[in-house]
Amino acid sequence: MQYVSIQNDTATLAVSGYFNFSRCKAVKAELGTAFQNGCTKVIVDFGTTQFIDSAAIRMLCDIRDQVYPENFSARNATGKTLTQLKSGNLDSWLKN
């Protein structure tokens, strides 16, 4: 898988560069595979993400609802990605 790695019950999502509408379909498909393989938690690693658009944010909100907030977190957001998360009051997702 290109965007999702699986370890035990956790799927870690990492999208390099622009995390935008055009990548959402592939990300959703990979997360679907992770869920089918027993993943119940999602970590989004923004370490290599330069920008995130509203479609990707909406998709992440849907995924967070699907796995429940206590099983969803994000990390390593900087620059424009961090700005986008803060503008939507979503920086509470970030855990260290």
Side-chain angles (χ1 to χ4, degrees), residues 5-12 34-35 37-43 67 71:
S5 61
I6 299 171
Q7 185 172 5
N8 300 320
D9 65 346
T10 303
T12 300
F35 295 144
N37 286 316
C39 289
T40 58
K41 299 176 184 174
V42 175
I43 298 171
V67 299
N71 294 322

Side-chain angles (χ1 to χ4, degrees), residues 57-78:
I57 289 173
R58 179 68 194 151
M59 184 194 73
L60 292 176
C61 288
D62 290 344
I63 291 164
R64 183 175 183 264
D65 288 345
Q66 181 179 349
V67 299
Y68 303 107
E70 62 270 16
N71 294 322
F72 181 92
S73 65
R75 62 183 180 209
N76 301 323
T78 59

